[in-house]
Amino acid sequence: MKRLIVRNICSMMKFIDIGANLTDPMYQGIYNGSAKHEPDLCHVLQRSWTGGLEKIIVTVGTLSDCEPTFEIVQNDERLFATVGCHPTRCGEFVSDPEAYFKSLCHQIEEHRDKVVAIGECGLDYDRLHFCEKDAQLQYFEKQLELAAKYDLPLFLHCRNAHDDFIDILQRNLDQLPRRGVVHTFDGTLEAAKTLIAHGFAIGINGCSLKTEENLKVAAQIPDEWIMVETDSPWCEIRPSHAGSKHVKSKYPTVKKKEKWEPCSLIAGRCEPVMISQVLEVLAGIKGKPAVELADQYYKNTLKMFFPKRAAYS
């Protein structure tokens, strides 16, 4: 029955989730180091495909993420990946920057048919306790060389660092013909306009739709510059979020300590199939049909990350 609910909700729409952290231990049934249920990534993916997902881009945030990520994506033509180093992990560059950079290059070259973006990279000044500002600045800019070298778009992260973030991107625009997307965007309308003016798309997920101010901003972002994502297992749309009043699709969940079944969605754990809820909030705040927006966001994503496919769509 639960599978039928998902199919009916999304039967007329196609989705691409531009950011899903499928290597997270939660999909192995592990929460805070403790096993609560069987590994269920295969069931999570099956719900995704049933729910209208045509492709999922798995987020890589550090070199050590690469091996498990490519194990997941290698045998499924619907799964792809980014390669890069998250700002909070940029300290990993410091001991041997050239070797770390070469290792990222190796991962891209070894899996060229699966890598569709460079990232997750950028700046995060909210969590400087994980990596100091100078290292973030230096190795964010260094990773832009990967985008130029391999002609790939960027999958970007920015938290409380807009001015430095824009400054670095502006300095390097000439070498970034494919641009990219700023994911989990929760900034001001002015920040969004600046990014769009430089050719960068805006990624929207549940964390982009928490407050009434978030909704006002998202409502004014042009649809041709929006992509949707879940950032799962994070960024679910919670009942306390301002956007929740627009959510129509419901996904019955169980607590992770309750009896687990393959069809179970776990309370507090986001899944790619929940991308339909992000779309519903955007449709609600923009006053437009969800089907129309789904088509636009799908085309936006194809054009950015799958340009050969977009040319024939």
Side-chain angles (χ1 to χ4, degrees):
M1 177 60 72
K2 293 174 184 176
R3 292 192 182 119
L4 288 175
I5 290 172
V6 172
R7 185 181 297 118
N8 289 338
I9 289 167
C10 303
S11 60
M12 297 179 64
M13 305 183 213
K14 296 184 294 185
F15 300 95
I16 300 173
D17 189 345
I18 66 167
N21 302 284
L22 298 186
T23 60
D24 191 279
M26 290 188 205
Y27 296 121
Q28 298 304 310
I30 299 170
Y31 302 79
N32 298 318
S34 177
K36 301 297 184 183
H37 58 77
E38 295 178 25
D40 65 345
L41 180 59
C42 61
H43 303 296
V44 169
L45 288 172
Q46 187 54 52
R47 283 192 287 273
S48 302
W49 311 138
T50 302
L53 270 295
E54 288 211 342
K55 301 179 191 297
I56 299 173
I57 301 174
V58 182
T59 305
V60 165
T62 179
L63 192 58
S64 61
D65 283 347
C66 289
E67 183 177 352
T69 294
F70 290 116
E71 287 179 0
I72 290 170
V73 308
Q74 64 182 348
N75 294 319
D76 195 319
E77 62 183 8
R78 299 163 292 188
L79 294 174
F80 298 86
T82 69
V83 167
C85 186
H86 192 282
T88 61
R89 304 296 294 273
C90 278
E92 296 178 7
F93 268 96
V94 174
S95 62
D96 193 340
E98 194 57 33
Y100 198 91
F101 186 82
K102 286 182 178 179
S103 294
L104 292 175
C105 290
H106 173 75
Q107 291 294 333
I108 295 167
E109 291 165 6
E110 190 77 7
H111 307 284
R112 192 64 183 87
D113 60 329
K114 286 293 188 178
V115 179
V116 296
I118 301 302
E120 175 177 1
C121 59
L123 299 174
D124 191 324
Y125 291 174
D126 282 341
R127 290 180 281 182
L128 292 174
H129 53 288
F130 288 122
C131 183
E132 63 180 16
K133 183 184 293 187
D134 287 348
Q136 289 193 31
L137 290 166
Q138 181 176 356
Y139 298 113
F140 171 34
E141 191 151 18
K142 180 67 175 177
Q143 289 181 81
L144 301 188
E145 295 178 21
L146 295 171
K149 179 180 176 69
Y150 297 105
D151 189 29
L152 287 168
L154 292 158
F155 187 75
L156 295 164
H157 174 106
C158 181
R159 287 289 171 274
N160 194 27
H162 178 74
D163 290 345
D164 287 346
F165 183 76
I166 289 295
D167 181 58
I168 288 173
L169 292 176
Q170 284 179 324
R171 286 204 304 269
N172 291 275
L173 283 178
D174 288 347
Q175 67 168 323
L176 300 172
R178 298 275 303 274
R179 300 299 197 264
V181 60
V182 180
H183 99 110
T184 317
F185 182 82
D186 65 354
T188 65
L189 182 60
E190 290 71 27
K193 287 180 177 178
T194 299
L195 290 164
I196 289 169
H198 291 310
F200 293 94
I202 306 298
I204 301 292
N205 60 34
C207 288
S208 309
L209 304 165
K210 285 183 176 182
T211 69
E212 291 296 340
E213 184 59 30
N214 290 156
L215 300 186
K216 289 178 183 177
V217 171
Q220 296 177 77
I221 297 174
D223 293 324
E224 61 268 27
W225 289 97
I226 288 177
M227 298 179 191
V228 287
E229 55 176 313
T230 60
D231 202 29
S232 53
W234 318 107
C235 292
E236 65 175 328
I237 299 175
R238 300 179 180 177
S240 60
H241 293 176
S244 65
K245 59 181 172 287
H246 298 289
V247 171
K248 297 179 180 179
S249 54
K250 305 297 182 183
Y251 299 99
T253 62
V254 299
K255 294 181 180 179
K256 52 184 177 287
K257 293 182 180 180
E258 293 178 356
K259 185 178 179 182
W260 176 88
E261 296 180 354
C263 62
S264 301
L265 279 79
I266 306 301
R269 185 186 72 173
C270 189
E271 295 188 11
V273 72
M274 295 177 178
I275 202 166
S276 65
Q277 296 180 334
V278 178
L279 179 73
E280 287 163 358
V281 176
L282 287 166
I285 62 179
K286 288 173 173 286
K288 296 181 178 180
V291 172
E292 174 186 319
L293 293 181
D295 184 61
Q296 179 68 62
Y297 302 155
Y298 179 82
K299 289 177 178 176
N300 296 346
T301 308
L302 280 184
K303 184 178 179 181
M304 176 73 73
F305 296 111
F306 307 97
K308 291 181 180 178
R309 173 73 180 272
Y312 296 98
S313 65

